[in-house]
Amino acid sequence: MQQRIGQGGSSCIRRRIVQAAIRLHREIGFKKTTVADIARGASMSPANVYRFFASKQAIEEAVVADLFEHVSAAATLAARSGSALERLTAALRAISRLHEHRLENDSKQHELAAAAVRENWAIAQSYADRIRGLVRVIIAGGQASGELRPGSPMAMTCCLLEAMDGYLNPSRINAATVRPAFDEMMDFCAGALRHAPWGQSIDLAADLSPKSRGARIASGVCG
């Protein structure tokens, strides 16, 4: 019983430290925030903070873990129903909107999330793996139903996420970015993913002129 109470107390203290860090990140930015600042914000000594987090980055990783957990859960919830393309669109739109909202309303936290992705923090890699897993399962299901074209689900997942990276990657989302609307880019990707009836398939060997190749690329057909 005492062990359970101790674990619960540790969890509460860790949460208190993380919340103090978030407040400071919003006020002065994560780069300027020190462990001493966080300790004062959490009404404890720096030594006590270090009992629960080995370093300042460990605290930042806990903050980012919460951010990405929220994004991952929203994407999973958005993708619960509909056709494969509808589910893919809903999941990726949920991710894009959350990052955009954070940029507009919580820019310093957005900066932290962007740094985590840009610097390949383990928590960012874990989050990326979860999103890839979600997308791969949807694509595989769409292939099984005949909605999406055949191919390696993982390769198609990587191609889709690479194409949509400017809408999904916090380190690439900023107010100065010039790009097509999310729906325009997603429609382009859907054209490449959608399974075409045999009569509409393209014989790539039939016409290899530069003009024809350019038309195929513009229509989203992979070579």
Side-chain angles (χ1 to χ4, degrees):
M1 183 62 151
Q2 291 179 343
Q3 184 178 10
R4 286 198 297 270
I5 293 172
Q7 290 173 346
S10 295
S11 178
C12 288
I13 294 173
R14 287 177 63 88
R15 173 51 52 185
R16 201 167 103 205
I17 294 168
V18 167
Q19 290 300 320
I22 290 172
R23 288 194 299 271
L24 286 160
H25 293 168
R26 287 171 173 161
E27 291 171 11
I28 62 176
F30 76 96
K31 292 181 180 178
K32 293 182 179 179
T33 298
T34 67
V35 172
D37 294 331
I38 295 170
R40 281 192 298 272
S43 301
M44 63 181 66
S45 68
N48 203 34
V49 171
Y50 282 119
R51 287 181 56 206
F52 297 92
F53 293 96
S55 64
K56 175 189 168 185
Q57 180 161 334
I59 300 172
E60 293 167 352
E61 288 172 353
V63 174
V64 173
D66 283 351
L67 293 177
F68 286 161
E69 180 60 35
H70 178 57
V71 174
S72 177
T76 301
L77 182 63
R80 287 198 306 179
S81 62
S83 68
L85 287 174
E86 288 170 343
R87 293 175 67 202
L88 287 172
T89 301
L92 300 189
R93 180 181 285 117
I95 296 170
S96 179
R97 284 179 173 172
L98 284 172
H99 289 319
E100 291 278 4
H101 183 270
R102 190 182 306 110
L103 173 63
E104 294 174 8
N105 299 283
D106 199 355
S107 60
K108 289 186 170 65
Q109 288 295 83
H110 180 84
E111 182 183 358
L112 175 59
V117 173
R118 189 168 52 248
E119 296 168 14
N120 293 315
W121 293 8
I123 191 64
Q125 294 175 19
S126 176
Y127 160 73
D129 286 342
R130 291 200 302 273
I131 298 303
R132 274 194 297 270
L134 172 64
V135 171
R136 184 187 59 78
V137 168
I138 295 172
I139 287 177
Q143 290 175 319
S145 70
E147 180 187 353
L148 303 183
R149 69 179 181 83
S152 163
M154 182 53 74
M156 292 169 68
T157 294
C158 291
C159 288
L160 173 60
L161 293 179
E162 182 68 23
M164 298 299 294
D165 192 59
Y167 307 84
L168 308 175
N169 183 341
S171 69
R172 292 189 59 193
I173 297 173
N174 61 73
T177 301
V178 178
R179 60 188 178 186
F182 174 91
D183 285 338
E184 291 174 326
M185 192 62 175
M186 193 65 207
D187 285 346
F188 180 84
C189 292
L193 292 170
R194 190 176 289 113
H195 181 65
W198 176 254
Q200 297 178 20
S201 63
I202 297 175
D203 183 358
L204 295 179
D207 184 355
L208 299 179
S209 69
K211 181 177 179 182
S212 177
R213 288 198 300 271
R216 291 188 194 112
I217 293 172
S219 66
V221 176
C222 295

